[in-house]
Amino acid sequence: MRKAQDTITGEGELKFSGFIGPIQYELTGNAQNLQSLAPRLRGALKTTPEIATAAFKAGYGTLSLADGRQRRITVTAMTAGDATCFFEIAD
């Protein structure tokens, strides 16, 4: 049986080529990795379908969390027409 993952949710800011704006995010992982925002930590961004598509096409960006921490992210997946895209912490 797998241990339940911890989750951090909040409102932050997303930056990628041609865009800077507010975003809702959700990060999931074990407590130690969430605390340090370790590389390879995964999450989801909730926004509009247009911004999700543009973020996916850009591939990379910077996510600023509600507590002020910033991390580079790689946008890894999305479904066309959906307002959610998925990412990994890049550094």
Side-chain angles (χ1 to χ4, degrees), residues 33 59 66:
N33 285 345

Side-chain angles (χ1 to χ4, degrees), residues 9-91:
T9 60
E11 293 184 13
E13 182 179 76
L14 178 64
K15 297 178 188 174
F16 61 84
S17 180
F19 178 81
I20 299 174
I23 199 89
Q24 291 182 333
Y25 61 84
E26 179 177 291
L27 291 162
T28 305
N30 69 46
Q32 182 179 2
N33 285 345
L34 287 172
Q35 199 63 13
S36 66
L37 293 179
R40 299 293 207 200
L41 192 60
R42 295 183 178 166
L45 302 173
K46 297 179 191 286
T47 183
T48 67
E50 296 80 17
I51 294 171
T53 299
F56 181 70
K57 287 180 179 179
Y60 297 93
T62 301
L63 176 63
S64 299
L65 303 184
D67 64 8
R69 295 184 287 174
Q70 292 185 344
R71 290 294 184 271
R72 286 182 24 88
I73 62 169
T74 302
V75 182
T76 57
M78 69 155 300
T79 301
D82 194 15
T84 301
C85 58
F86 301 91
F87 68 92
E88 277 187 355
I89 299 291
D91 55 16

